[in-house]
Amino acid sequence: MIEHSYVNSMSRVGHLLSWLPAPLGSILLLLLAAGIALLFSRVITEALPRLPGLRRIQFIHAIIARLRTTIRNFLMIIAASAALQATTGFTPATMTFLEQAFLCLFILNLGFGIIKTFRLLTDQYLNRITAKEHTDDITARSHQTQIRVLRRLIEISFGVLTVASSLMVFHSVQKFGVSLFASAGAASLIVGLSARPALSNLIAGIQIAVTQPIRMEDMLILNGDWAWVEEINATYVVLRTWDRRRYIVPISYFLENPFQNWTHSSPSLICSLFLWLDYQTPVERLREIYFEELAKCPDWDQDKTSIGCQIADTNAQVISIRLIAGAADANGMWNLGCDIRERMLRRLRTEMPECLPRGRTAIVSGTPDQSPWPDNLVAPPVNRPQDGPYRGPDMPASPPAAMPGRS
């Protein structure tokens, strides 16, 4: 009923434009119908959010703001296609073409409007996830990864179907599609070979979303750099390094190559650092100093089961002390290591300077015709009794004057 009244109104307006050439009058009639629909859509998009019951509903404001252009195009296409029935200045071929064109635009506008609505809904869900505070955000990052990857795949698939459906309203495109379908064997082979990298990345994107070897904001090691997963697109991944550089990596890389993911199961990490000290270092006292200074570090995760202070290695000059402690994440691990190293060196310089590494030199005096290694520097014979445990060498009561000293 409303459509019939609208067509009658447009017919009256067309009679008013009958003094113009028929094609020009019909074009002006279509433009007038589209202009009226544009003004009406502006009234709707501006007045609807101000209604008393909808002022406080933020979702209504968000969806109108996101779909404002889509709503206007939708109303303009409907108004112009309805006014087309009231025109008399077009030939039958032109009328058929315009009907197909309006139907094509309607399908395109409807399809991409659905895509925009779907993106708005997923954005609302992602914002709700990120707004919450999580003690362990692996679940939230898993949801973000799945939604972002699958959303892009759905958008691409639905976009292709929308474009294909809109173009199929034209008879020439239908004939081309039938001929392409008839030669599907050769065409599929050519398309498959040319699109193999894109298809492999799309399939890899589905595998990434399901198996999740990487997630949003995971910390990876790539080419020796710390990098965080910033974006996961349908065919590539954007990694952000600590110095704000970006790696653009094909998504199939993470299924075909080994890499390090430091936050796959938990963001917490163990900080490990080494101190090279002298052999005279009292390890027990050093361990007490380490525990005292660790308690003052703000980046320590307070997990006492993951701390340790041990002699990890030795060589001819120094001993290697390994200090370990837990941190909440990779940034905290790095800051914790720097903080502990600075605190321990400050305590060692002030309280135990003899623990700092140093070199040892033996000063030997003698004439050129003498042996370069005097007899008094030769180690005394070892007293190895035939029975009983080994009790060490028979050292003299007082060391000889020429024994090597410390420098």
Side-chain angles (χ1 to χ4, degrees):
M1 185 67 181
I2 297 176
E3 182 182 0
H4 184 69
S5 301
Y6 177 77
V7 173
N8 291 334
S9 300
M10 289 294 103
S11 299
R12 297 190 186 96
V13 175
H15 287 301
L16 296 176
L17 299 175
S18 59
W19 57 276
L20 294 172
L24 181 59
S26 298
I27 294 174
L28 290 178
L29 183 62
L30 296 179
L31 294 177
L32 179 61
I36 294 173
L38 178 61
L39 295 177
F40 183 68
S41 64
R42 288 181 179 272
V43 173
I44 293 177
T45 54
E46 295 295 335
L48 188 60
R50 299 180 182 179
L51 295 177
L54 302 178
R55 290 180 180 178
R56 298 182 180 180
I57 302 178
Q58 297 297 328
F59 179 74
I60 298 297
H61 293 266
I63 195 170
I64 290 177
R66 183 70 66 91
L67 299 179
R68 180 178 286 111
T69 304
T70 303
I71 294 173
R72 291 174 180 175
N73 294 337
F74 185 76
L75 294 177
M76 290 172 62
I77 293 171
I78 292 177
S81 60
L84 184 63
Q85 302 178 10
T87 59
T88 58
F90 295 127
T91 61
T94 305
M95 288 286 293
T96 302
F97 175 78
L98 289 177
E99 290 176 355
Q100 294 175 352
F102 285 142
L103 181 58
C104 176
L105 293 176
F106 179 81
I107 296 174
L108 287 174
N109 192 66
L110 179 62
F112 287 106
I114 294 174
I115 292 176
K116 289 182 179 180
T117 305
F118 175 70
R119 177 174 284 269
L120 176 63
L121 295 175
T122 53
D123 286 340
Q124 293 287 335
Y125 180 72
L126 291 175
N127 293 335
R128 183 180 300 178
I129 291 178
T130 55
K132 295 180 179 179
E133 295 182 358
H134 297 271
T135 55
D136 185 5
D137 62 346
I138 291 180
T139 303
R141 292 190 288 110
S142 299
H143 289 175
Q144 290 184 30
T145 303
Q146 290 177 341
I147 291 174
R148 291 180 185 276
V149 175
L150 295 178
R151 180 176 68 179
R152 286 180 173 85
L153 294 176
I154 292 173
E155 288 176 353
I156 293 174
S157 303
F158 195 80
V160 172
L161 291 177
T162 300
V163 174
S165 301
S166 63
L167 293 178
M168 288 299 289
V169 301
F170 296 99
H171 298 297
S172 58
V173 177
Q174 291 179 3
K175 294 178 181 179
F176 176 76
V178 171
S179 61
L180 184 64
F181 182 77
S183 58
S188 61
L189 180 61
I190 296 173
V191 172
L193 292 175
S194 61
R196 187 185 63 83
L199 293 176
S200 64
N201 284 321
L202 286 175
I203 296 173
I206 297 175
Q207 293 178 304
I208 291 290
V210 175
T211 60
Q212 293 191 355
I214 59 173
R215 306 182 185 93
M216 294 297 298
E217 294 302 325
D218 267 352
M219 213 287 289
L220 312 179
I221 301 297
L222 188 67
N223 296 334
D225 284 333
W226 288 20
W228 285 263
V229 179
E230 187 175 51
E231 295 181 17
I232 301 180
N233 295 295
T235 57
Y236 65 91
V237 177
V238 180
L239 303 179
R240 182 186 69 254
T241 62
W242 66 273
D243 54 356
R244 300 179 183 177
R245 290 178 290 118
R246 300 296 190 275
Y247 278 108
I248 310 298
V249 185
I251 199 169
S252 59
Y253 173 89
F254 298 99
L255 296 177
E256 300 172 356
N257 300 279
F259 61 94
Q260 298 184 36
N261 187 341
W262 285 17
T263 56
H264 183 266
S265 300
S266 173
S268 61
L269 296 168
I270 299 295
C271 171
S272 176
L273 59 95
F274 293 85
L275 296 178
W276 287 267
L277 303 177
D278 192 78
Y279 269 89
Q280 292 189 357
T281 301
V283 180
E284 292 297 332
R285 175 56 183 160
L286 181 69
R287 189 174 288 115
E288 294 176 0
I289 293 176
Y290 169 62
F291 293 156
E292 293 173 3
E293 295 299 327
L294 181 62
K296 302 176 184 178
C297 295
D299 294 297
W300 179 41
D301 62 359
Q302 305 298 321
D303 184 9
K304 295 184 179 181
T305 61
S306 62
I307 62 176
C309 177
Q310 298 172 319
I311 299 179
D313 195 8
T314 61
N315 56 31
Q317 289 79 29
V318 294
I319 60 176
S320 176
I321 305 295
R322 188 183 71 161
L323 309 176
I324 59 175
D329 51 24
N331 286 330
M333 181 194 70
W334 175 263
N335 295 330
L336 178 63
C338 297
D339 193 10
I340 291 177
R341 190 180 293 109
E342 180 180 349
R343 291 173 181 272
M344 292 298 294
L345 292 178
R346 182 172 60 248
R347 291 287 296 271
L348 290 175
R349 285 197 308 267
T350 57
E351 299 181 15
M352 296 188 296
E354 71 277 4
C355 299
L356 299 179
R358 64 190 68 190
R360 290 176 171 82
T361 305
I363 302 177
V364 180
S365 60
T367 58
D369 57 346
Q370 292 178 341
S371 173
W373 193 257
D375 295 336
N376 57 359
L377 290 183
V378 178
V382 178
N383 180 20
R384 296 183 180 274
Q386 297 298 326
D387 55 349
Y390 172 62
R391 304 181 182 279
D394 294 335
M395 299 297 293
S398 60
M403 288 294 287
R406 299 168 60 89
S407 61

